Amino acid sequence: MANVIVIGAQWGDEGKGKITDLLSRSADVVVRYQGGVNAGHTIVVNGQTFKLHLIPSGILYPNTECMIGCGTVIDPQVLIKELDQLEALGISTRNLLISETAHVTMPYHRLIDQASEERRGSYKIGTTGRGIGPTYADKSERTGIRVLDLMNPEGLREQLEWTINYKNVILEKLYNLPLLDPKQVIDEYLGYAERLRPYVVDTSLKIYDAIQRRRNILFEGAQGTLLDLDHGTYPYVTSSNPVAGGACVGTGLGPTMIDRVIGIAKAYTTRVGEGPFPTEIGGEMGEVLCTRGAEFGTTTGRRRRCGWFDAVIGRYAVRINGMDCLAITKLDVLDELEQIQVCVAYEIDGERSEHFPSNARKFAQCRPIYKTMPGWKTSTSDCRTLEELPKQALDYLKFLAELTEVPIAIVSLGASRDQTIIVEDPIHGPKRGLLYQDGTPASLLSA
Ligand code: IMP
């Protein structure tokens, strides 16, 4: 039995979809714990490609239960579209459960997100425009609409009447936008409520029950460590907590019930939206990574910014999430390069630093210190064992493991399931846990 968190070690889009899909095969339950329809993964079913934003891809396995936890924000319009798409393909959604205490993204959230980005001008964050920040802001401000509110028509009418009139003032006076019609919105959302009602439960209780029955649970993080509201590159972050700790808060589960944390990192780095990115590369090389890696967002189609692997960020992600191991994805994207750079440390104010600075202004001034590695100039996409990899590729992976101070358990060399090297079982292999400064493992956590 193992309860595992899978989390992005960079700025999101690390290829979590494929790794989660691989691990979902041995999971009985897959749970989303934060974020909303800003996330997205592409799945292919019977030769048909479509995009899921909220429903975990575990839904493709007939016996896997999928849950959308209380820390997520739910856009009912998008969720219902996903349900319809899946059902049209003959994929049952009866194993989906939605937390009754998750917050709901409303039309005014989307409008405010887009309008406020426009108003920020050069200070914009580069959000996905899906209303994520304003939904979480209402949650903190305690004016949010929760799924359980949707399920109560009389209460909802009253609550939304007040809220929409309040938001209309903001839409009109601050953003010069047309007013929303409360009646129209209320009727629309009452319709959504009836469609979603069969899925709505207390997911925290369901998860606890699954743990007591020794089920294997996979907690699927959306976005990535550096987009975390508290631990990422604030303010250029999302409004939730993708880090491993967020899985407990976002599902209603105690930390003692988590067995493993698996990090996912690309063999290089990408970022969408604004904000500092020390190892970003422009020009021809940036173009090569973007094209070979098909670096365009699933949700917005935006071109991702590309850069070299940043081991300072990697080490930081290992620390912040307590990662046991890493999965390195898209190694094959580097196949044709003559040389590959790896950022081993930063230069900040003329001094070398191995650590990610928590001060955003300092981070913006960091200059990467690179070590240049030789490329392997041959295709790796058919390799299925470490032994089959070219020596330079293996040396590159060993170097990343050494720098991030964590073992690499999985290497991904392409989009398909079989283009994968399983170095060690990420769930049942040796547990890393905490190392004391003298290098000995903390006894409680050692394997
Ligand atoms: P928001 O989550 O839409 O508010 O966007 C905030 C920041 O997070 C922006 O820089 C987005 O580009 C980024 N972001 C949000 N979701 C994702 C994702 O799934 N992958 C990568 N970046 C994301």
Side-chain angles (χ1 to χ4, degrees):
M1 203 274 284
N3 301 321
V4 177
I5 300 172
V6 176
I7 157 86
Q10 295 159 325
W11 276 284
D13 308 314
E14 295 91 349
K16 289 185 294 291
K18 173 179 161 176
I19 305 298
T20 307
D21 177 56
L22 270 175
L23 299 174
S24 292
R25 277 188 269 181
S26 46
D28 302 299
V29 184
V30 181
V31 190
R32 264 286 296 271
Y33 58 86
Q34 45 69 230
V37 299
N38 47 351
H41 40 255
T42 306
I43 56 172
V44 182
V45 185
N46 303 333
Q48 259 186 294
T49 301
F50 65 99
K51 290 161 186 178
L52 288 180
H53 299 283
L54 263 173
I55 302 179
S57 51
I59 200 77
L60 301 181
Y61 297 95
N63 299 320
T64 304
E65 216 160 45
C66 289
M67 300 195 201
I68 303 178
C70 64
T72 61
V73 290
I74 291 175
D75 185 328
Q77 210 178 358
V78 179
L79 178 56
I80 290 169
K81 201 166 145 206
E82 290 183 14
L83 289 170
D84 290 345
Q85 275 184 326
L86 288 168
E87 278 163 11
L89 286 167
I91 297 161
S92 167
T93 59
R94 82 191 136 79
N95 284 338
L96 179 71
L97 298 173
I98 302 167
S99 167
E100 58 187 357
T101 53
H103 280 247
V104 179
T105 297
M106 302 296 297
Y108 46 80
H109 291 134
R110 253 173 277 138
L111 293 170
I112 292 173
D113 187 6
Q114 290 158 15
S116 75
E117 276 284 273
E118 219 177 291
R119 188 62 67 84
R120 279 169 183 264
S122 59
Y123 295 105
K124 74 171 187 219
I125 291 161
T127 72
T128 58
R130 302 297 194 264
I132 305 299
T135 313
Y136 280 110
D138 278 6
K139 174 178 177 174
S140 298
E141 206 200 3
R142 292 152 295 176
T143 53
I145 307 288
R146 299 195 286 176
V147 171
L148 54 84
D149 300 321
L150 277 193
M151 301 299 134
N152 167 14
E154 274 326 298
L156 184 72
R157 268 180 215 288
E158 211 173 292
Q159 202 180 356
L160 270 183
E161 189 87 44
W162 182 89
T163 310
I164 294 173
N165 285 327
Y166 171 62
K167 297 292 177 184
N168 270 342
V169 178
I170 298 170
L171 290 174
E172 188 188 28
K173 303 275 188 258
L174 203 55
Y175 299 118
N176 209 13
L177 287 171
L179 302 184
L180 288 168
D181 174 359
K183 185 179 174 316
Q184 199 183 330
V185 176
I186 292 166
D187 288 347
E188 183 185 338
Y189 277 72
L190 284 176
Y192 296 150
E194 286 324 301
R195 176 77 166 87
L196 296 180
R197 191 179 292 280
Y199 301 97
V200 177
V201 294
D202 176 351
T203 45
S204 161
L205 186 59
K206 290 280 178 192
I207 294 167
Y208 192 65
D209 179 59
I211 291 175
Q212 287 188 312
R213 287 185 291 115
R214 296 179 182 272
R215 304 283 100 162
N216 295 310
I217 306 185
L218 182 86
F219 297 90
E220 180 183 342
Q223 289 86 45
T225 303
L226 275 297
L227 287 174
D228 185 275
L229 181 60
D230 290 281
H231 304 286
T233 47
Y234 190 90
Y236 302 103
V237 293
T238 191
S239 296
S240 63
N241 290 111
V243 295
C248 291
V249 182
T251 56
L253 189 71
T256 49
M257 287 172 247
I258 302 296
D259 298 296
R260 294 266 156 164
V261 180
I262 302 173
I264 319 282
K266 270 181 195 159
Y268 50 101
T269 312
T270 61
R271 164 160 217 185
V272 205
E274 307 301 313
F277 180 2
T279 64
E280 182 169 16
I281 27 179
E284 212 178 301
M285 185 55 76
E287 202 54 49
V288 168
L289 290 185
C290 182
T291 310
R292 278 191 57 88
E295 296 297 355
F296 295 91
T298 311
T299 301
T300 59
R302 285 182 293 177
R303 186 185 191 280
R304 297 178 186 139
R305 300 155 66 192
C306 294
W308 299 116
F309 188 88
D310 185 335
V312 180
I313 279 172
R315 271 194 299 274
Y316 176 67
V318 167
R319 167 163 70 86
I320 288 290
N321 295 291
M323 282 175 190
D324 291 295
C325 62
L326 269 179
I328 297 290
T329 62
K330 292 191 154 186
L331 184 72
D332 58 302
V333 172
L334 306 180
D335 279 353
E336 285 174 11
L337 304 189
E338 198 82 51
Q339 291 187 323
I340 301 164
Q341 313 256 56
V342 180
C343 169
V344 294
Y346 294 149
E347 188 195 305
I348 311 176
D349 296 334
E351 287 191 18
R352 182 186 169 103
S353 172
E354 318 275 328
H355 299 292
F356 174 78
S358 52
N359 179 330
R361 201 160 299 166
K362 280 203 168 159
F363 183 62
Q365 290 160 8
C366 284
R367 297 197 7 202
I369 299 173
Y370 286 119
K371 177 170 160 77
T372 304
M373 305 281 292
W376 41 95
K377 301 209 73 189
T378 174
S379 171
T380 55
S381 46
D382 292 330
C383 298
R384 297 292 175 268
T385 62
L386 286 184
E387 291 70 36
E388 288 170 51
L389 282 177
K391 180 181 177 306
Q392 295 89 334
L394 192 57
D395 287 347
Y396 181 69
L397 290 172
K398 282 184 182 160
F399 190 48
L400 300 193
E402 190 186 308
L403 288 170
T404 53
E405 301 169 359
V406 78
I408 293 173
I410 300 175
V411 183
S412 170
L413 307 144
S416 84
R417 278 183 191 169
D418 67 314
Q419 287 176 308
T420 311
I421 300 174
I422 306 288
V423 184
E424 66 178 35
D425 182 339
I427 297 175
H428 303 100
K431 185 159 173 56
R432 173 190 177 268
L434 172 74
L435 288 182
Y436 289 127
Q437 280 189 351
D438 64 8
T440 54
S443 59
L444 249 182
L445 295 173
S446 58

